Amino acid sequence: MVDASTVKELRDRTGAGMMDCKKALVETNGDLEKAIEFLREKGLAAAAKKAGRIAAEGLIGTYVSDDMKMGAIVEVNCETDFVAKNQEFIDFVNSMAKLVVDRKLDDVEQLNETEYNGMKVKEALSTLIAKIGENMTIRRFERFSVEIGAIVSYIHGGGRIGTLVQLESTVVNDILVELGKDIAMQVAAMSPLYINESDVPNDYIEKEREILRVQALNEGKKPEVVEKMIEGRLKKQLKEICLMDQLFVKDGERTIAKLLNDKSKEIGSEISISRFVRFEKGEGIQKREDNFAEEVMSQMKNK
């Protein structure tokens, strides 16, 4: 006979339903630890059934160490915005960012195999999937580290967009940190692809030149003026995608290059941006757009 207090304890420890907990205890002759294992195995099976669902919602999470020398940004996806607001899901995302920093991890496969709360991360994720009832995936992460300077992060829209910026400087003070926040916000708002124009690959430039050439010819421009138009438009485009050439979103009067130069003079140390990354939730994932009525009819036919 399984007593109610043991069922409750199992439910508290696993988050599984009351009847599932009772069945697990019956199957394992009241052994709590074996019942937990039983439910985890059941959870893994449930997670597998959900694995085919498209997980394009979710959150971007960041973590920066107290000394600001290491930071990480991670994207964990789920199926609905409702689950993305679940506190357990939020806590899991933020814990993954911290775990990446604490263990100095390099890829998602490594993260999935890392121990977390007495189990591997992939097992903890499957348990969360079984508990909440949606497919979830740890999609990607990046980790930054700096010896001389600081790592700064920014989260926008409750986790819809996240950025991480690495600043190099021999002086680390409040001015540098505030600058880092401004740069991280700039990256979130303006989506630069490169730091400087010199970082832009030649094949990208040549491809854009060809696109602009076709556009100009389609507009009926004379061949002798096309090349001048191409270079003018290309120069404008490069200013939009290169961080240092962008106008600072907070005042619109200075470029980011001028902002860094001004702040370098203010703190008495040259400041440079060595890396940045911008994650936007679900970017590049093909979201499923099912017709709800058709889905219901399909399910009824299958019964």
Side-chain angles (χ1 to χ4, degrees):
M1 183 70 181
V2 177
D3 62 273
S5 62
T6 308
V7 174
K8 183 180 184 303
E9 183 180 353
L10 182 59
R11 186 184 185 191
D12 290 341
R13 289 180 62 178
T14 64
M18 193 71 78
M19 294 307 295
D20 287 332
C21 290
K22 185 176 180 181
K23 181 180 178 182
L25 287 164
V26 170
E27 291 288 337
T28 58
N29 297 316
D31 188 312
L32 191 61
E33 295 304 321
K34 287 184 178 179
I36 291 171
E37 187 175 334
F38 176 89
L39 286 171
R40 282 182 57 200
E41 289 172 354
K42 185 178 178 183
L44 288 169
K49 291 179 181 177
K50 298 178 178 72
R53 300 181 189 170
I54 297 174
E57 295 295 334
L59 285 177
I60 309 299
T62 60
Y63 175 79
V64 176
S65 60
D66 292 339
D67 62 3
M68 305 188 78
K69 298 301 182 187
M70 193 174 294
I73 181 169
V74 62
E75 178 181 2
V76 182
N77 298 121
C78 57
E79 294 179 55
T80 65
D81 183 55
F82 179 77
V83 165
K85 295 174 182 176
N86 180 290
Q87 193 58 51
E88 283 191 76
F89 181 77
I90 294 170
D91 291 344
F92 180 80
V93 175
N94 292 330
S95 294
M96 291 304 102
K98 186 175 187 302
L99 195 62
V100 167
V101 169
D102 290 346
R103 302 292 178 86
K104 298 181 180 180
L105 304 176
D106 296 315
D107 56 54
V108 173
E109 184 178 353
Q110 199 177 27
L111 174 59
N112 279 323
E113 296 296 328
T114 299
E115 186 177 334
Y116 169 72
N117 287 349
M119 62 185 84
K120 290 183 178 180
V121 165
K122 63 183 180 182
E123 295 168 344
L125 182 62
S126 291
T127 300
L128 190 60
I129 289 170
K131 182 176 180 180
I132 293 179
E134 280 196 7
N135 186 30
M136 301 173 198
T137 57
I138 301 172
R139 185 185 182 197
R140 54 181 173 165
F141 71 78
E142 285 202 33
R143 177 174 60 85
F144 287 4
S145 63
V146 64
E147 291 184 9
I148 304 174
I151 310 293
V152 184
S153 68
Y154 173 72
I155 291 290
H156 178 76
R160 185 173 65 85
I161 296 171
T163 61
L164 207 61
V165 173
Q166 181 172 320
L167 297 176
E168 306 278 347
S169 171
T170 56
V171 175
V172 178
N173 56 17
D174 290 344
I175 295 172
L176 183 76
V177 173
E178 191 61 32
L179 172 66
K181 290 178 181 177
D182 285 340
I183 300 297
M185 191 181 300
Q186 175 86 18
V187 171
M190 301 305 293
S191 305
L193 300 178
Y194 306 96
I195 297 175
N196 296 291
E197 187 174 325
S198 58
D199 299 322
V200 183
N202 286 331
D203 57 351
Y204 177 93
I205 292 175
E206 290 308 313
K207 183 178 179 180
E208 290 305 309
R209 274 204 180 101
E210 186 57 35
I211 291 171
L212 292 169
R213 182 175 289 107
V214 172
Q215 286 178 351
L217 291 172
N218 287 341
E219 290 169 6
K221 306 297 181 183
K222 294 180 180 179
E224 57 267 27
V225 300
V226 165
E227 292 306 314
K228 281 188 176 181
M229 286 185 61
I230 289 172
E231 293 309 309
R233 290 179 180 181
L234 182 61
K235 188 173 181 180
K236 181 182 177 183
Q237 184 175 326
L238 289 175
K239 285 184 178 297
E240 292 173 354
I241 66 171
C242 295
L243 177 60
M244 297 296 280
D245 292 328
Q246 290 181 346
L247 289 173
F248 182 33
V249 290
K250 276 193 169 182
D251 64 26
E253 298 295 324
R254 292 179 289 180
T255 62
I256 296 300
K258 180 69 166 58
L259 174 66
L260 256 65
N261 186 56
D262 292 346
K263 294 297 179 181
S264 295
K265 291 177 181 177
E266 190 174 346
I267 70 171
S269 170
E270 184 179 352
I271 304 168
S272 63
I273 302 167
S274 53
R275 294 174 73 187
F276 72 82
V277 64
R278 180 185 188 275
F279 281 2
E280 185 165 351
K281 173 195 71 178
E283 59 188 344
I285 299 176
Q286 182 64 46
K287 296 186 179 182
R288 183 178 62 191
E289 296 181 358
D290 291 336
N291 180 292
F292 182 69
E294 289 179 1
E295 182 180 336
V296 172
M297 290 299 292
S298 175
Q299 288 178 359
M300 289 178 67
K301 288 177 182 176
N302 291 331
K303 287 185 176 180

